[in-house]
Amino acid sequence: MKRKVLAVLLAASMVGSLAACGSDGSGSSSSSKDGSGTNESTGSGEEGSDGASSAGETSDIDTSEHVVITYLTVGDKPNNTANEDILAELNKILTEKVNAELDVYNIGWTDYMSNYRLTLTQMDGSVDLVSAADWMEEWALAKDGAFLTLTEDMLSTYCPTTYSEVPQEHWDMCKYNGEIMFIPEDSYTQRTNHGFIYRLDWAKEAGLEDGVHSWDDLTEYFRWVKANKEDVIPWDVCGGNSVWENLGGWLTSNVDELLWGVGATNTGTIIKQTEDNKVYNQYFEYRDELVEYAKLMKEWDEIGVWRTDVLNNTSSDNRADYRIGKTSVDQHHTQTWTDLVSPGIANNTIYQDDPDAESGFFWFGEEKNHVTNESVVHGTMAISAASENPERALMVYDLLRNDPECYRLINYGIEGRQYAINEEGERYVPDTYDKEKDEFMFDFWEGRTDKNELKDARLNWDAIDAMYETLDAAGVDNPYLQFVFDQDPVQTQISNVTQVTDKYMKLLTYGKYDGTAEEFIDKFLDELKAAGVEDIDNEVQRQLNEFYGVNETAAPIE
């Protein structure tokens, strides 16, 4: 197997804060190709396999001591007793099978990364199972020793079903310095590539009969909405959100090569798909494209796409407004679109208010047919290095991932309360469901598997299946999945560059800069150079060369 290094596709590597104005970052449901998801639109897929029922049954292991396994997850816990009620049912099974029970430690979305990092680095044994992800600094935390090394002997003994089903190449992708650090979420089909969710029926009224399929189409659509929908803000975005995704989406749609981000987040360090491991900086390499993006964002600002005080707007809930027809787009990923495109989701009142309402999805890279396949380390499970019961934690995880009864409880809740199953074997929300009393949150992303998913009867599968077919045909595997950039040699430069990008990106993305686009971009590039971006790119190149055994030095930015 070809060696790979860690990175994310350009648009994903430029992710800023996940915290959204008026929403929690997990608020949108997400549906896998086979139908899974979380929160309001949780899950779907095929009925769990009978073969999974033996998960966790390791009779030769001493489980005489009852232990509590604490699972650290990120998300806002509802203010009710639903989590506790579900855990009570789940813990009956866990106690019977492995003499353990599960407790959940929730970290809310507000300042989640700082709190998550602090909890892990305290190393006080307070957590065992840890929700980890490439967007939650999992590799940097692995480098710092936050996670326990998982030997193949441990995995095969205490997590046997998962270990046997995960292919060796996926275990290899979860290694740091040759040691397994994570259990991959590799058996769950999903798409988290970003784009604009929009009102397809409005686009047709605007003369875009086939919908929005380019940034030019999107501009025409926004102009029509502003002129024809008096009570609608075309994109009621908060000024701190969508900055990195939007720019990344523009470049993905307007650059001939597929770009892979490497190194530190938001420094612009990239590798082109068509070249082997040569480092570039996107801001300099694609200066002309940045100028065009700046011009377009200024045009959007002049059209009135967002509020005039967008940079100070912290109160809008754009997604909630889309559901009720008060904004014309939501910029997020495919999984969110699968929720918003579905009339069966009760909160999507646009479909009840207007029988002609439709939702389309303009995905970033559509013009160039550029989209990356999901990484198996996008969502992973880890064991805290300070866990006092790592073996039992693995046994509990094996049950949560593979035992159908445990799987349904942690992902869907209690049958008859949070969900019910129809004659076709599809999951739906029963009439007795009361959100205030019954909503729960475990966000068990890192253990989802298609084999145990129940198809969500509420979703618009005709539209979803067609979209997945399109994305599957265009998808490319990320060739950079295991290299961990050591930021220490250039940490000062990274901090300086981050200050520069934070200063310029909001002004750029919302067209709030002074002077011409060319003047603004050139000033941005000058400040990047002064902050030391060349040192960062050269250090990334040096480490890549070392990783691949190449003795070439990086050429400085010209």
Side-chain angles (χ1 to χ4, degrees):
M1 177 184 170
K2 180 180 177 182
R3 297 184 75 190
K4 300 183 179 181
V5 296
L6 171 70
V8 285
L9 180 64
L10 172 67
S13 72
M14 305 179 75
V15 173
S17 170
L18 289 183
C21 293
S23 65
D24 62 14
S26 69
S28 72
S29 62
S30 58
S31 304
S32 76
K33 183 178 179 181
D34 292 317
S36 67
T38 60
N39 293 342
E40 290 180 353
S41 177
T42 51
S44 72
E46 300 304 320
E47 186 83 9
S49 66
D50 293 335
S53 61
S54 62
E57 294 180 4
T58 47
S59 57
D60 55 337
I61 297 173
D62 181 8
T63 58
S64 57
E65 180 185 0
H66 185 78
V67 299
V68 176
I69 299 301
T70 301
Y71 163 48
L72 172 62
T73 186
V74 178
D76 294 324
K77 180 179 178 291
N79 187 25
N80 57 34
T81 65
N83 273 30
E84 289 74 16
D85 295 342
I86 295 167
L87 285 175
E89 296 300 314
L90 177 61
N91 285 332
K92 293 176 185 177
I93 303 170
L94 295 179
T95 297
E96 177 185 352
K97 290 181 178 284
V98 294
N99 198 21
E101 61 183 276
L102 188 71
D103 189 23
V104 177
Y105 184 96
N106 291 94
I107 290 180
W109 286 109
T110 301
D111 202 19
Y112 74 94
M113 197 62 238
S114 296
N115 293 326
Y116 176 80
R117 190 186 304 108
L118 177 62
T119 302
L120 290 178
T121 55
Q122 285 177 336
M123 301 294 286
D124 58 3
S126 60
V127 297
D128 303 287
L129 291 169
V130 179
S131 176
D134 55 11
W135 51 272
M136 292 200 300
E137 301 180 6
E138 64 181 359
W139 294 104
L141 287 163
K143 173 180 175 290
D144 291 340
F147 304 127
L148 183 71
T149 296
L150 303 175
T151 67
E152 297 200 28
D153 182 61
M154 285 179 62
L155 289 165
S156 61
T157 301
Y158 301 105
C159 200
T161 304
T162 301
Y163 178 73
S164 66
E165 292 184 355
V166 172
Q168 186 61 48
E169 65 182 39
H170 290 178
W171 288 122
D172 290 342
M173 292 176 188
C174 294
K175 289 181 178 179
Y176 175 69
N177 280 348
E179 304 287 349
I180 298 172
M181 304 305 299
F182 309 109
I183 303 173
E185 182 198 25
D186 67 333
S187 301
Y188 174 77
T189 308
Q190 62 178 328
R191 287 281 182 188
T192 58
N193 58 295
H194 276 244
F196 279 98
I197 302 152
Y198 65 93
R199 286 288 297 268
L200 177 57
D201 55 318
W202 290 357
K204 290 176 180 178
E205 287 185 56
L208 299 165
E209 289 298 324
D210 295 327
V212 173
H213 298 287
S214 70
W215 290 77
D216 288 341
D217 288 348
L218 192 58
T219 302
E220 183 178 345
Y221 171 72
F222 280 145
R223 197 179 297 279
W224 182 90
V225 170
K226 186 65 177 178
N228 292 275
K229 298 294 179 180
E230 183 177 349
D231 297 329
V232 173
I233 298 173
W235 185 17
D236 197 12
V237 64
C238 296
N241 295 342
S242 302
V243 173
W244 301 106
E245 294 93 342
N246 215 44
L247 175 58
W250 167 263
L251 291 174
T252 304
S253 291
N254 287 277
V255 170
D256 289 335
E257 303 91 357
L258 194 56
L259 308 179
W260 307 101
V262 292
T265 303
N266 301 337
T267 63
T269 314
I270 59 164
I271 296 176
K272 300 178 184 180
Q273 183 189 19
T274 54
E275 300 191 29
D276 189 20
N277 307 330
K278 183 178 179 182
V279 169
Y280 295 86
N281 191 285
Q282 66 180 6
Y283 301 127
F284 295 84
E285 185 72 8
Y286 299 108
R287 180 261 183 192
D288 292 344
E289 284 79 4
L290 257 66
V291 168
E292 292 306 309
Y293 175 71
K295 291 179 180 178
L296 180 63
M297 294 303 100
K298 178 68 76 173
E299 181 180 353
W300 284 12
D301 185 50
E302 292 170 349
I303 290 171
V305 168
W306 37 69
R307 296 172 187 256
T308 56
D309 64 343
V310 61
L311 296 181
N312 297 316
N313 178 23
T314 59
S315 60
S316 296
D317 189 337
N318 189 81
R319 188 158 308 141
D321 286 344
Y322 182 88
R323 294 181 189 277
I324 62 176
K326 292 201 174 288
T327 191
S328 72
V329 298
D330 183 19
Q331 194 279 103
H332 211 246
H333 53 57
T334 306
Q335 300 305 111
T336 299
W337 170 79
T338 63
D339 174 281
L340 295 179
V341 76
S342 300
I345 302 299
N347 288 350
N348 296 338
T349 60
I350 54 174
Y351 303 108
Q352 288 83 55
D353 297 339
D354 184 352
D356 296 324
E358 299 177 273
S359 291
F361 187 53
F362 163 52
W363 47 278
F364 293 150
E366 186 172 346
E367 301 95 319
K368 303 288 186 180
N369 215 34
H370 286 169
V371 66
T372 184
N373 291 328
E374 200 64 59
S375 164
V376 301
V377 295
H378 179 71
T380 63
M381 183 66 80
I383 304 292
S384 169
S387 172
E388 296 178 0
N389 296 288
E391 295 87 359
R392 203 78 66 88
L394 287 172
M395 295 172 74
V396 167
Y397 173 80
D398 207 37
L399 284 167
L400 297 178
R401 175 173 173 140
N402 298 295
D403 181 271
E405 193 174 6
C406 292
Y407 188 94
R408 292 184 184 182
L409 281 165
I410 198 164
N411 285 289
Y412 307 140
I414 298 171
E415 185 174 356
R417 178 174 172 182
Q418 278 84 15
Y419 77 100
I421 301 174
N422 63 22
E423 294 180 355
E424 289 74 34
E426 298 175 336
R427 178 176 53 85
Y428 69 95
V429 178
D431 293 338
T432 54
Y433 177 83
D434 182 334
K435 183 175 181 178
E436 289 190 7
K437 295 179 180 179
D438 299 326
E439 183 181 26
F440 71 101
M441 195 294 299
F442 296 126
D443 278 353
F444 189 64
W445 307 309
E446 55 287 309
R448 296 175 296 184
T449 61
D450 288 342
K451 71 181 181 182
N452 282 328
E453 286 292 306
L454 293 173
K455 195 168 187 177
D456 192 330
R458 299 170 300 168
L459 298 187
N460 181 354
W461 287 106
D462 288 341
I464 293 169
D465 287 342
M467 178 59 67
Y468 272 119
E469 184 177 348
T470 297
L471 295 174
D472 287 347
V476 175
D477 288 334
N478 185 345
Y480 296 99
L481 280 175
Q482 280 183 322
F483 166 73
V484 182
F485 176 54
D486 181 1
Q487 299 186 14
D488 291 345
V490 286
Q491 189 58 62
T492 298
Q493 292 92 327
I494 290 172
S495 297
N496 292 339
V497 168
T498 299
Q499 290 181 22
V500 173
T501 54
D502 285 348
K503 171 184 174 182
Y504 277 88
M505 280 301 129
K506 291 180 183 180
L507 299 175
L508 173 61
T509 293
Y510 300 114
K512 297 298 186 181
Y513 57 86
D514 296 325
T516 68
E518 290 83 357
E519 291 169 342
F520 178 76
I521 294 300
D522 287 341
K523 186 177 180 182
F524 171 48
L525 299 183
D526 287 344
E527 290 199 24
L528 284 177
K529 282 188 178 182
V533 74
E534 294 171 335
D535 296 338
I536 299 170
D537 294 337
N538 290 340
E539 180 61 21
V540 172
Q541 185 74 75
R542 186 193 68 77
Q543 292 185 31
L544 273 172
N545 292 345
E546 185 177 273
F547 184 85
Y548 283 105
V550 178
N551 294 317
E552 300 174 358
T553 58
I557 299 169
E558 297 179 357

